[in-house]
């Protein structure tokens, strides 16, 4: 028996903490178009420049993913979250006084983007550390509660813009972002206590297993150098084995020889590239399925995020809606988003579909909504119907996109795997995102941009199919830290 804090007790306070953090720091992203539409129009910023600003923010956020793994190993997620929340609040406050494209890039893209890039790995690791068996349920609760923000925030921001203009609204949002300190303070470091009962009859068995390197140090021993821990274990094993002189002598000699070999091996000088590869866990890139997962998610995430941020611009141009009507439509979409986050996971549990399959379904739903909007976007009733469709798809994607990587790699490699995913998202964001704005400026309409966005979203399905994610019912990949074979969940083959 190994009692721990996983899946119970303080673990549910982590859900509350992550929800508070998301509600505090995400409004500026969720209502990007609504907040900056008038300022960008007054500054004469084109759709291409708007898309560049938005995706540069995402690139800065994701570029910190490469260092998130080493950072999370060195500092607790509470400290990282506190620093990230402070950075976001300061960046939003500076953005309030940014009245030029370079100033907006420095304040919003760099400072706010860096704060988000610091914060998200901390909250993600906290959730995946505290929850093992109930991870889907916890993630569902978290994203559902986070979805309450977009219901009220568009209406609140619309009122704030009427009374305080863009600068005053951003200063108020900076004050809201400071409340992320409350959530960060609740991210208590995870502790797992293991109780071992060692009897005289199993002393030799336990020590023999340790000599073979099959046990790992727990608790505070994780903080000690590996050579010191191995040497200590070897001495303890020798004392235990001395109780059985015949077997103990031989096994003690074997342990001593192995300790000497380990010490000499660790003293060998390694190249800088090999050290970086091991530290960043770049061996993950050798698995073609993992590469297909992060590439497919990266391209679709760029497309979907761009569309969600540009909804106010799309509705103002295609549907001719004013700011209040746009805020109302965004609130309706948020209500539908909440419904999707609540209902779809329960339905998925009965159907038995995996996170990747449901993520693809959400992409198809968003594509359907954009197609309808581009064809009949001048009808307000149709716009409301599209908001409902896109909201459900967005809620489904929000729940299951955060579970795809944790379902694919073991927990000890999750920080590095998530970090590489963020880096991939950042590169694709700055490389692909502005193209959507270029399509709008070249065609002078958001219709072509919507269709291009749908093509990008569905390219995820093609990449995943090429990567073989649905070709085999059972397979295995070498993704854990000791090159052991980790079984992949059984996939349901789908035809899109």
């Amino acid at each position: 028996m190994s009692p721990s804090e996983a899946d119970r007790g303080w673990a549910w306070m982590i859900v509350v903490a992550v929800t508070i953090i998301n509600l505090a720091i995400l409004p500026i992203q969720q209502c990007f178009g609504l907040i900056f539409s008038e300022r960008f129009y007054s500054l004469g910023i084109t759709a291409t420049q708007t898309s560049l600003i938005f995706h540069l923010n995402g690139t800065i956020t994701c570029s910190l993913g490469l260092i998130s793994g080493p950072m999370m190993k060195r500092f607790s997620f509470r400290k990282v979250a506190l620093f990230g929340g402070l950075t976001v609040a300061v960046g939003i406050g500076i953005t309030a006084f940014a009245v030029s494209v370079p100033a907006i890039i420095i304040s919003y893209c760099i400072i706010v983007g860096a704060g988000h890039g610091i914060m998200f790995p901390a909250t993600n690791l906290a959730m995946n550390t505290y929850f093992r068996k109930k991870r889907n349920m916890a993630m569902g609760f978290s994203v559902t509660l986070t979805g309450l923000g977009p219901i009220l925030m568009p209406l609140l921001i619309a009122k704030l813009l009427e009374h305080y203009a863009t600068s005053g609204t951003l200063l108020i949002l900076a004050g809201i972002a400071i409340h992320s300190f409350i959530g960060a303070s609740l991210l208590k470091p995870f502790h797992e206590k293991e109780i071992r009962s060692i009897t005289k009859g199993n002393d030799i068995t336990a020590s023999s297993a340790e000599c073979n390197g099959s046990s790992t140090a727990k608790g505070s021993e994780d903080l000690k150098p590996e050579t010191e821990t191995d040497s200590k274990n070897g001495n303890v094993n020798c004392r235990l084995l001395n109780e059985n002189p015949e077997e103990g002598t031989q096994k003690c000699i074997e342990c001593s020889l192995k300790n000497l070999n380990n010490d000499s091996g660790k003293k060998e000088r390694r190249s800088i590239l090999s050290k970086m590869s091991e530290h960043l866990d770049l061996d993950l890139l050798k698995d073609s399925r993992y590469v297909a997962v992060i590439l497919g998610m990266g391209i679709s995430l760029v497309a979907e995020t761009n569309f969600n941020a540009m909804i106010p611009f799309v509705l103002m141009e295609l549907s001719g809606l004013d700011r209040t009507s746009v805020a109302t439509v965004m609130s309706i979409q948020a209500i539908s988003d909440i419904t999707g986050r609540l209902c779809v996971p329960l339905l998925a549990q009965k159907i038995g579909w995996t996170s990747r399959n449901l993520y693809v379904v959400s992409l198809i739903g968003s594509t359907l909504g954009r197609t309808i909007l581009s064809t009949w976007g001048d009808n307000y009733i149709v716009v409301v119907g599209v908001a409902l469709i896109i909201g459900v798809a967005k809620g489904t994607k929000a729940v299951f996109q955060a579970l795809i990587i944790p379902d694919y790699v073991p927990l000890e490699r999750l920080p590095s795997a998530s970090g590489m995913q963020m880096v991939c998202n950042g590169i694709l964001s700055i490389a692909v995102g502005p193209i959507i704005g270029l399509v709008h400026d070249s065609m002078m309409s958001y219709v072509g941009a919507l269709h291009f966005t749908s093509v990008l979203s569905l390219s995820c399905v093609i990449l995943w199919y090429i990567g073989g994610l649905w070709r085999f019912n059972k397979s295995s990949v070498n993704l854990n830290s000791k090159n052991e074979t980790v079984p992949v969940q059984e996939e349901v083959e789908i035809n899109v």
Side-chain angles (χ1 to χ4, degrees), residues 248-493:
T249 302
Q250 181 63 28
K251 292 184 178 293
C252 187
I253 293 175
E254 293 177 1
C255 287
S256 300
L257 291 175
K258 288 185 178 181
N259 288 333
L260 290 174
N261 291 333
N262 290 336
D263 292 340
S264 61
K266 289 176 175 58
K267 292 179 181 178
E268 294 179 357
R269 302 181 62 181
R270 295 175 297 176
S271 64
I272 297 178
L273 292 178
S274 63
K275 289 182 180 179
M276 289 181 59
S277 177
E278 181 179 352
H279 198 56
L280 299 176
D281 206 357
L282 297 181
D283 287 341
L284 287 167
L285 298 178
K286 295 180 181 180
D287 182 69
S288 60
R289 293 190 180 188
Y290 172 75
V291 174
V293 168
I294 61 174
L295 284 179
M297 286 187 65
I299 295 175
S300 62
L301 186 63
V302 169
E304 296 296 324
T305 305
N306 184 89
F307 171 70
N308 291 328
M310 300 301 171
I311 282 179
F313 297 99
V314 175
L315 295 180
M316 289 177 183
E317 180 179 303
L318 294 182
S319 306
L321 302 182
D322 57 16
R323 185 169 58 198
T324 303
S325 299
V326 170
T328 302
V329 171
M330 292 178 67
S331 296
I332 293 173
Q333 176 182 308
I335 295 173
S336 179
D337 185 346
I338 288 287
T339 304
R341 299 180 191 217
L342 286 173
C343 299
V344 174
L346 298 177
L347 181 63
Q349 187 174 2
K350 293 186 177 182
I351 296 177
W353 277 20
T354 62
S355 300
R356 289 198 289 272
N357 290 340
L358 288 164
Y359 183 80
V360 169
V361 171
S362 71
L363 296 181
I364 296 174
S366 296
T367 300
L368 177 62
R370 283 189 293 267
T371 303
I372 297 174
L373 182 62
S374 62
T375 306
W376 299 287
D378 55 347
N379 189 313
Y380 185 75
I381 301 299
V382 173
V383 171
V384 173
V386 169
L388 294 174
I389 295 174
I390 293 177
V392 173
K394 183 181 177 183
T396 303
K397 183 169 71 275
V399 173
F400 294 102
Q401 71 181 1
L403 300 175
I404 294 176
I405 297 297
D407 285 348
Y408 197 74
V409 301
L411 181 62
E412 62 269 17
R413 306 190 76 175
L414 181 58
S416 299
S418 299
M420 276 185 272
Q421 181 196 8
M422 290 181 64
V423 172
C424 178
N425 291 345
I427 295 173
L428 292 173
S429 180
I430 197 63
V432 179
I435 299 177
I436 301 176
L438 286 173
V439 173
H440 169 270
D441 291 341
S442 62
M443 301 183 66
M444 299 303 296
S445 173
Y446 271 108
V447 174
L450 291 177
H451 291 311
F452 181 68
T453 301
S454 298
V455 171
L456 291 177
S457 293
L458 294 180
S459 65
C460 174
V461 183
I462 299 174
L463 284 172
W464 285 5
Y465 185 79
I466 293 175
L469 293 174
W470 293 308
R471 290 183 180 179
F472 307 98
N473 290 330
K474 293 182 179 180
S475 184
S476 61
V477 290
N478 291 326
L479 283 179
N480 72 353
S481 58
K482 296 183 179 180
N483 294 326
E484 296 173 352
T485 301
V486 179
V488 177
Q489 295 181 351
E490 184 172 344
E491 299 292 342
V492 179
E493 184 173 358

Side-chain angles (χ1 to χ4, degrees), residues 37-225:
S37 58
E38 291 187 358
R39 174 168 290 187
F40 286 0
Y41 180 78
S42 63
L43 295 175
I45 296 177
T46 64
T48 302
Q49 292 174 321
T50 300
S51 183
L52 175 64
I53 291 171
F54 178 77
H55 287 287
L56 183 58
N57 170 270
T59 299
I60 299 297
T61 298
C62 297
S63 64
L64 296 181
L66 191 63
I67 65 172
S68 64
M71 181 174 60
M72 296 307 301
K73 293 177 182 178
R74 183 174 180 84
F75 303 101
S76 66
F77 32 71
R78 173 187 285 172
K79 294 179 180 179
V80 175
L82 285 170
F83 182 68
L86 177 62
T87 305
V88 171
V90 171
I92 296 175
I94 297 175
T95 307
F97 304 100
V99 291
S100 64
V101 173
I104 293 173
I105 289 176
I106 294 174
S107 58
Y108 176 73
C109 297
I110 297 179
I111 301 179
V112 176
H116 285 153
I118 294 171
M119 179 69 77
F120 293 149
T123 56
N124 183 47
L125 183 60
M127 287 286 291
N128 287 287
T129 300
Y130 268 88
F131 288 94
R132 312 291 171 81
K133 297 180 181 179
K134 299 180 181 180
R135 184 178 295 168
N136 289 6
M137 184 184 300
M139 190 63 68
F141 280 133
S142 177
V143 297
T144 299
L145 294 174
T146 301
L148 296 174
I151 296 178
L152 300 177
M153 274 299 171
L155 300 175
L156 175 62
I157 289 175
K159 291 296 182 183
L160 292 176
L161 289 170
E162 290 179 5
H163 293 87
Y164 303 105
T166 304
S167 296
T169 300
L170 286 170
L171 287 175
I172 294 174
L173 291 178
I176 294 175
I178 294 178
H179 288 76
S180 63
F181 291 177
I182 300 174
S185 299
L186 296 175
L187 296 179
K188 185 175 71 173
F190 181 79
H191 298 289
E192 185 169 3
K193 300 178 181 179
E194 183 170 353
I195 301 175
R196 293 183 179 179
S197 59
I198 303 178
T199 62
K200 184 176 180 180
N202 62 9
D203 281 348
I204 298 177
T205 304
S207 59
S208 177
E210 290 178 347
C211 289
N212 291 328
S214 61
S215 64
T216 56
K218 300 292 182 182
S220 61
E221 292 180 358
D222 290 337
L223 302 178
K224 297 182 180 180

